[in-house]
């Protein structure tokens, strides 16, 4: 299945991504990361051993196991006879090939010609450069160009007109993020490379900053992806490196975790299953459900988790700088304000949405209530005083951030839309086309809506053949803004050029005419 998708805008990816190289510095870095994961694995093994010791096995069960594992004598005799018969048949079949004399060379005439009998009369050169009949292509620096290397470079090449689509996928218990290249001019979509993951991916977020770098460095632009999984860690990978073995950084993989075994008063290990780690201010202790990168303060990344906390990470130091406990249930959606870089919108399974100025105390945060568990929450990029909320009941709420109710139950929306009969699992707002939104649901349909002052109206509804829809995302490039990526439970990714729809095309043509009139 496909659980999440996100786009990389044109012009950020390297034209020729580099191959992963293992040097001494990289070995040291991987060793540290591997040791941390080994510590986690040892802790899990210790917990499993304690459970096994606590369970025990009585004598009757042991006797039953022994009796069941001892085979009958008649069965053993029959198996031996069958094995001997098969061995005899194999020997008879191999006799005709005379394998015992296979390596003995037959006698031949000493004067007969062989492949290299005239090798003394052949001319040879110490290097290819001295041979006048060998002409190898060279670059400007005089180095020989290997045809295989040149072909590989062409396969890895990403043009400025190409867009990258990051797709979180799980197939046959193997989780990975596929990096697709989408050629908009030809509507061609193909996998460029992939990133293997240790756990089921739940969310992906593109980062435009070089992770783990000093604030004083001039060139901080990067092309990275942050991935949240069922494990409480956030992995960050460099998209400009192919076949990378380990992430460039892991947020939350803290060495401060208490891994020492807990002992009872008598000095023995407790037989009970260890208690689940409690939420803290340094790292998540449960699945990471949502990520949001701050486009104004680019070194800030927000994460929401099933441990009910929201954390802010400094991508320069890769450390958690603040932790918040706004909600009473799992935090499943995050969105930074498009203009005010300190305001964060959070949605959770406690049926509330909170707009938080992260510089203020928690009592100053604004809270709205909705009718069911929140699925997603996004700001309106065309009017930042408003935001959208989708819920498990299949509804879309449009709320005014300036009018927070005194109680979440008293929240009133500008308008409410019953978009689907089942939960609206995915939702996205087009940044370049005002009023155009897309919703996806477990009813396997994707719907396009046109938001007008009088309210929303349905433009198109389509079954994209992806199964239950878990992700919809508009392409963030102005020239191709009406391309929509759709993924779902069938593990299939589709890119829908919505201009092929009659109603969408008619509206787009009208907008284009209006733009040309304005230019005149």
């Amino acid at each position: 299945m496909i659980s999440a998708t996100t786009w990389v805008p044109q012009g950020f990816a390297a034209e020729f991504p580099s191959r992963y190289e293992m040097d001494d510095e990289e070995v040291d870095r991987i060793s540290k990361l591997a040791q941390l994961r080994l510590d986690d694995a040892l802790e899990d093994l210790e917990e499993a051993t304690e459970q096994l010791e606590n369970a025990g096995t009585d004598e009757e069960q042991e006797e039953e196991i022994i009796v069941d594992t001892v085979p009958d004598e008649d069965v053993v005799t029959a198996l031996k006879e069958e094995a001997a018969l098969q061995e005899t048949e194999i020997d008879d079949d191999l006799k005709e090939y005379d394998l015992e004399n296979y390596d003995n060379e037959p006698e031949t005439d000493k004067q007969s010609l062989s492949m290299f009998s005239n090798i003394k009369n052949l001319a040879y050169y110490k290097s290819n450069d001295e041979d006048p009949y060998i002409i190898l292509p060279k670059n400007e620096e005089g180095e020989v160009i290997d045809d295989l290397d040149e072909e590989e470079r062409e396969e890895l090449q990403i043009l400025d007109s190409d867009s990258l689509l990051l797709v979180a996928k799980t197939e046959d218990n193997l989780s990975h993020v596929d990096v697709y290249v989408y050629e908009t001019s030809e509507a061609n979509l193909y996998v460029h490379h992939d990133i293997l993951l240790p756990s089921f991916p739940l969310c992906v977020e593109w980062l435009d900053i070089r992770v783990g770098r000093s604030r004083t460095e001039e060139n901080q632009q990067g092309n990275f992806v942050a991935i949240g999984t069922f494990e409480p860690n956030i992995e960050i990978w460099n998209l400009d490196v192919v076949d990378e073995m380990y992430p460039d950084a892991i947020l939350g993989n803290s060495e401060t975790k208490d891994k020492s075994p807990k002992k009872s008063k008598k000095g023995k290990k407790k037989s009970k299953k260890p208690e689940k780690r409690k939420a803290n201010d340094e790292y998540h202790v449960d699945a990471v459900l949502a990520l949001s990168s701050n486009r104004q303060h680019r070194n800030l990344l927000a994460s929401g988790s099933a441990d009910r906390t929201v954390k802010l990470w400094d991508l320069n130091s890769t450390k958690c700088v603040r932790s918040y406990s706004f909600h009473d249930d799992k935090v499943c959606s995050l969105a930074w304000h498009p203009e005010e870089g300190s305001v964060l919108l959070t949605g959770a399974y406690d049926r509330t949405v909170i707009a938080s100025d992260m510089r203020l105390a928690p009592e100053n945060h604004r809270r709205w209530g909705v009718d069911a568990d929140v699925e997603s929450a996004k700001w309106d990029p065309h009017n930042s005083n408003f935001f959208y909320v989708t819920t498990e009941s299949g509804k879309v709420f449009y709320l005014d951030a300036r009018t927070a109710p005194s109680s979440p139950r008293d929240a009133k929306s500008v308008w409410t839309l019953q978009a689907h009969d089942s939960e609206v699992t995915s939702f996205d707002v087009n940044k370049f086309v005002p009023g155009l939104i897309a919703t996806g649901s477990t009813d396997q349909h994707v719907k396009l809506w046109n938001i007008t002052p009088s309210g929303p109206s349905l433009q198109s509804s389509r079954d994209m053949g992806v199964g239950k829809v878990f992700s919809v995302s508009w392409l963030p490039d102005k020239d191709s803004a009406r391309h929509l990526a759709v993924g779902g439970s069938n593990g299939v990714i589709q890119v829908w050029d919505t201009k092929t729809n009659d109603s969408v095309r008619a509206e787009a043509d009208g907008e284009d005419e209006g733009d040309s009139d304005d230019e005149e």
Side-chain angles (χ1 to χ4, degrees):
M1 63 177 291
I2 291 175
S3 52
T5 62
T6 191
W7 289 93
V8 177
Q10 295 176 356
F12 280 89
E15 182 180 3
F16 295 102
S18 60
R19 288 285 184 184
Y20 179 74
E21 294 183 2
M22 180 75 73
D23 52 16
D24 293 340
E25 183 179 352
E26 181 66 8
V27 170
D28 294 339
R29 187 182 71 86
I30 289 179
S31 299
K32 294 178 182 179
L33 293 175
Q35 184 60 43
L36 292 174
R37 287 191 171 176
L38 178 60
D39 293 341
D40 291 336
L42 290 175
E43 183 181 12
D44 294 339
L45 178 61
E46 183 182 353
E47 293 178 2
T49 304
E50 289 182 5
Q51 294 179 24
L52 185 61
E53 292 176 353
N54 189 36
T57 306
D58 56 21
E59 295 180 359
E60 294 181 359
Q61 290 177 338
E62 290 180 356
E63 291 178 0
E64 291 178 0
I65 293 173
I66 294 173
V67 170
D68 291 339
T69 54
V70 176
D72 194 314
E73 293 182 2
D74 296 337
V75 175
V76 173
T77 303
L79 291 174
K80 288 182 178 180
E81 293 177 354
E82 183 179 356
L85 180 61
Q86 291 179 355
E87 186 176 354
T88 303
E89 292 176 352
I90 292 173
D91 291 340
D92 294 339
D93 293 336
L94 295 177
K95 283 182 180 179
E96 60 177 301
Y97 298 104
D98 192 20
L99 295 180
E100 294 180 358
N101 300 319
Y102 182 80
D103 293 330
N104 297 333
E105 297 181 359
E107 295 183 1
T108 58
D109 188 0
K110 295 182 180 180
Q111 296 181 354
S112 62
L113 294 176
S114 64
M115 183 180 297
F116 301 106
S117 60
N118 198 29
I119 192 171
K120 293 183 179 180
N121 298 326
L122 297 178
Y124 65 93
Y125 300 90
K126 293 182 180 180
S127 66
N128 292 330
D129 294 335
E130 298 178 4
D131 193 337
Y133 297 99
I134 297 179
I135 300 175
L136 298 177
K138 298 181 180 181
N139 58 20
E140 297 178 355
E141 299 176 356
E143 299 175 350
V144 176
I145 301 175
D146 191 342
D147 292 339
L148 294 178
D149 292 343
E150 189 66 22
E151 182 179 351
E152 183 180 5
R153 279 171 57 85
E154 291 179 0
E155 291 179 354
L156 294 177
Q157 185 177 14
I158 300 175
L159 303 178
D160 289 338
S161 58
D162 295 337
S163 299
L164 296 187
L165 177 61
L166 310 180
V167 179
K169 181 186 293 187
T170 298
E171 184 177 9
D172 296 333
N173 297 324
L174 179 65
S175 297
H176 48 97
V177 169
D178 288 339
V179 182
Y180 283 83
V181 172
Y182 183 63
E183 299 173 344
T184 55
S185 59
E186 301 177 4
N188 182 30
L189 182 69
Y190 63 91
V191 177
H192 187 271
H193 65 279
D194 60 3
I195 300 171
L196 294 179
L197 301 175
S199 183
F200 188 96
L202 299 170
C203 53
V204 291
E205 179 74 355
W206 173 66
L207 307 175
D208 62 351
I209 186 174
R210 298 179 64 84
V211 178
R213 302 290 177 176
S214 171
R215 296 175 184 270
T216 58
E217 292 187 18
E218 295 181 0
N219 183 18
Q220 291 192 338
Q221 179 172 307
N223 184 28
F224 290 77
V225 59
I227 306 170
T229 68
F230 268 119
E231 292 186 359
N233 301 324
I234 303 169
E235 294 191 352
I236 298 180
W237 295 77
N238 190 345
L239 295 173
D240 291 336
V241 178
V242 179
D243 297 332
E244 199 170 11
M245 293 180 60
Y246 266 78
D248 287 66
I250 300 179
L251 307 183
N253 201 345
S254 175
E255 297 180 352
T256 61
K257 295 180 183 179
D258 183 13
K259 298 182 181 297
S260 58
K262 303 201 179 195
K263 297 184 178 180
S264 60
K265 293 181 180 179
K266 295 181 181 180
K268 296 182 180 180
K269 293 181 181 179
K270 292 183 179 180
S271 59
K272 284 178 151 184
K273 182 178 179 180
E275 295 182 1
K276 192 174 182 179
R277 294 192 189 102
K278 294 182 180 180
N280 58 77
D281 294 340
E282 296 181 5
Y283 51 87
H284 288 300
V285 296
D286 209 337
V288 178
L289 305 179
L291 294 168
S292 182
S293 176
N294 194 315
R295 300 306 176 193
Q296 297 187 26
H297 306 288
R298 295 165 56 221
N299 64 304
L300 285 182
L301 175 69
S303 62
S305 171
D307 63 12
R308 305 182 181 185
T309 66
V310 175
K311 287 181 168 49
L312 298 186
W313 303 88
D314 183 358
L315 297 177
N316 292 323
S317 64
T318 67
K319 300 295 183 182
C320 178
V321 292
R322 295 291 296 274
S323 181
Y324 305 88
S325 298
F326 300 144
H327 294 279
D328 299 326
D329 209 331
K330 300 178 179 66
V331 182
C332 60
S333 183
L334 301 172
W336 287 102
H337 195 278
E339 297 177 0
E340 301 178 20
S342 61
V343 177
L344 181 67
L345 188 66
T346 63
Y349 290 169
D350 59 4
R351 301 188 174 190
T352 63
V353 181
I354 299 176
S356 313
D357 190 328
M358 313 308 278
R359 302 168 299 181
L360 303 179
E363 56 269 16
N364 295 323
H365 299 158
R366 296 160 289 173
R367 186 188 298 262
W368 292 262
V370 290
D371 67 327
D373 292 353
V374 174
E375 292 286 345
S376 62
K378 292 182 181 292
W379 293 99
D380 185 349
H382 308 287
N383 191 340
S384 57
N385 292 322
F386 299 87
F387 60 91
Y388 299 89
V389 179
T390 66
T391 66
E392 192 180 21
S393 64
K395 294 181 179 179
V396 179
F397 294 86
Y398 192 60
L399 298 164
D400 190 342
R402 298 168 297 182
T403 57
S406 56
S407 172
R409 297 181 179 179
D410 300 331
K412 295 182 179 180
S413 60
V414 178
W415 52 258
T416 302
L417 169 67
Q418 184 67 50
H420 298 265
D421 294 332
S422 57
E423 58 265 37
V424 181
T425 52
S426 54
F427 168 79
D428 200 15
V429 185
N430 197 303
K431 298 179 180 179
F432 297 100
V433 183
L436 180 60
I437 67 173
T439 59
S441 171
T442 53
D443 64 9
Q444 303 188 10
H445 280 79
V446 178
K447 295 184 179 181
L448 304 181
W449 305 88
N450 183 29
I451 310 302
T452 62
S454 59
S457 60
L458 179 64
Q459 276 195 325
S460 179
S461 177
R462 178 179 292 187
D463 185 344
M464 301 295 296
V466 300
K468 296 179 180 179
V469 181
F470 294 139
S471 178
V472 295
S473 54
W474 293 105
L475 200 159
D477 293 310
K478 188 173 183 180
D479 295 337
S480 308
R482 294 182 184 272
H483 290 72
L484 182 71
V486 183
S489 59
N490 289 347
V492 178
I493 187 71
Q494 299 280 4
V495 178
W496 178 15
D497 183 359
T498 60
K499 271 185 127 180
T500 57
N501 181 272
D502 293 338
S503 59
V504 176
R505 183 170 60 252
E507 181 184 353
D509 293 340
E511 291 178 358
D512 294 340
E513 291 178 2
D515 293 340
S516 61
D517 292 341
D518 293 340
E519 291 176 0
E520 292 177 1

